[in-house]
Amino acid sequence: MRSSTTFLAAASLLSLAAASPLERRYYDCTAPQVWHTCWDGWQGCCSVTPCKGPAEGVKSYCPDTEQPPSGTPGNPTPPSTPPTACSPESTPSPTPTSLEPDVEWVGQTGCKEDNSNCHWAPRFFIIKTDNETYTTYNQTFQFHVRKDAGPEGGRHDSIALFTDIPDTVTKCRIAWYKPAQGIFYGTYSDGAMNMSTLDLGDRSFEEAVGGEVSYASTKELIAGESSHGVLDLGNWGRTLGGKALDNGHDAFDCAGSELAVHFALNAPGAEGSVTVDQVSKLGTNNNGFVQRAGWYLQYV
């Protein structure tokens, strides 16, 4: 059960510390370019998916800055320089008008334009297991989790708080959507995500955490959480086109006005990181061409 009281606690807006390679790489790219890591070792900024699969027989490359590699139709000569990461100073970026507006989310997710059956605007709280008083509150613009190497490696988990859920909603599914292009999406090593809901009882989330979000104030809730499966986000950045994923399980009880979802990497002994832009509607996140992106609740 979860509370019907809306979470109203004020929280300061903090930027993420440069704790993983992905965070630094995010700032290397100028929108609409995003960072990509391909199976064949290609890494860099590109406005389209540069990764080529083994079956294509062609090395990965970014058409923004590189000539097609040898074997690509129309270019039998190998490129003169190897792929390198781009930077805002050295590589001009295409303007957003060069990208077509993202409309795939409608068909992929079954969500309506007016959001009457989906909730795309959680507030994300990032907490650390190895620093129990640490937290960041980044509203709705980006999702970030990570795990350090080793069996006891520290974790950066994310708690997504969905508020103002209609009184008529009683069942939900947790789902995720990545558009074909136009957002930052990156994974490092392991990307398998545990998804669980926190039992708030008759309390609001603010009451349940004592007015301050941190690992210290949430670990008791996490110990009693209800799991709703695992999604592996590690490979989807290397696929062409948009992709919508849900937990593959039956819908769960979500009656009430707010729901707290705990996301943590399922990487025993391994290092990992996932960072992805969250877009709740066209024009948010300084983004004029992506309709929706990231985590959402689908009302059943």
Side-chain angles (χ1 to χ4, degrees), residues 171-175 193-195 226-231 245-253 298 300:
K171 295 288 185 179
C172 298
R173 286 191 177 92
I174 303 170
M193 195 77 55
N194 282 335
M195 309 174 297
S226 298
S227 175
H228 297 291
V230 177
L231 285 183
L245 304 171
D246 63 31
N247 58 9
H249 292 249
D250 293 338
F252 56 87
D253 182 12
Q298 186 164 31
V300 179

Side-chain angles (χ1 to χ4, degrees), residues 278-299:
Q278 183 82 21
V279 179
S280 60
K281 61 182 179 180
L282 181 67
T284 60
N285 200 33
N286 296 320
N287 194 318
F289 44 91
V290 172
Q291 298 283 332
R292 305 286 190 274
W295 294 102
Y296 63 98
L297 290 181
Q298 186 164 31
Y299 306 148

Side-chain angles (χ1 to χ4, degrees), residues 109-192:
T109 68
C111 294
K112 297 178 181 179
E113 184 69 29
D114 62 0
N115 285 339
S116 59
N117 66 335
C118 292
H119 192 321
W120 291 83
R123 300 181 231 184
F124 292 117
F125 299 85
I126 300 170
I127 58 177
K128 287 184 180 182
T129 60
D130 54 355
N131 182 347
E132 294 195 357
T133 61
Y134 170 94
T135 188
T136 66
Y137 172 82
N138 66 3
Q139 297 193 56
T140 63
F141 65 85
Q142 194 176 75
F143 169 84
H144 172 76
V145 294
R146 68 169 294 204
K147 183 186 179 299
D148 296 332
E152 305 300 324
R155 298 196 320 266
H156 289 199
D157 295 352
S158 185
I159 295 176
L161 182 64
F162 294 88
T163 61
D164 298 324
I165 299 172
D167 293 340
T168 55
V169 174
T170 60
K171 295 288 185 179
C172 298
R173 286 191 177 92
I174 303 170
W176 180 80
Y177 172 64
K178 178 185 75 70
Q181 56 187 349
I183 64 166
F184 172 73
Y185 169 72
T187 64
Y188 173 69
S189 186
D190 192 277

Side-chain angles (χ1 to χ4, degrees), residues 2-184:
R2 55 189 173 79
S3 169
S4 61
T5 304
T6 302
F7 177 60
L8 298 174
S12 59
L13 178 62
L14 301 175
S15 63
L16 297 177
S20 76
L22 289 174
E23 293 163 355
R24 178 183 61 79
R25 292 168 182 174
Y26 173 69
Y27 295 106
D28 285 346
C29 302
T30 300
Q33 290 184 330
V34 296
W35 184 268
H36 297 267
T37 300
C38 303
W39 68 275
D40 57 3
W42 191 98
Q43 298 184 60
C45 303
C46 198
S47 64
V48 297
T49 303
C51 304
K52 305 297 181 184
E56 297 176 78
V58 178
K59 292 183 178 179
S60 300
Y61 74 100
C62 179
D64 295 349
T65 58
E66 302 172 72
Q67 293 295 318
S70 179
T72 303
N75 186 50
T77 305
S80 58
T81 58
T84 58
C86 63
S87 68
E89 293 77 20
S90 61
T91 304
S93 300
T95 61
T97 55
S98 66
L99 298 177
E100 295 183 3
D102 173 51
V103 295
E104 290 183 330
W105 71 273
V106 177
Q108 291 270 8
T109 68
C111 294
K112 297 178 181 179
E113 184 69 29
D114 62 0
N115 285 339
S116 59
N117 66 335
C118 292
H119 192 321
W120 291 83
R123 300 181 231 184
F124 292 117
F125 299 85
I126 300 170
I127 58 177
K128 287 184 180 182
T129 60
D130 54 355
N131 182 347
E132 294 195 357
T133 61
Y134 170 94
T135 188
T136 66
Y137 172 82
N138 66 3
Q139 297 193 56
T140 63
F141 65 85
Q142 194 176 75
F143 169 84
H144 172 76
V145 294
R146 68 169 294 204
K147 183 186 179 299
D148 296 332
E152 305 300 324
R155 298 196 320 266
H156 289 199
D157 295 352
S158 185
I159 295 176
L161 182 64
F162 294 88
T163 61
D164 298 324
I165 299 172
D167 293 340
T168 55
V169 174
T170 60
K171 295 288 185 179
C172 298
R173 286 191 177 92
I174 303 170
W176 180 80
Y177 172 64
K178 178 185 75 70
Q181 56 187 349
I183 64 166
F184 172 73

Side-chain angles (χ1 to χ4, degrees), residues 7 9-10 125 127 132-135 205-218:
F7 177 60
F125 299 85
I127 58 177
E132 294 195 357
T133 61
Y134 170 94
T135 188
F205 184 64
E206 178 185 8
E207 293 168 338
V209 299
E212 182 176 344
V213 184
S214 65
Y215 184 69
S217 67
T218 58

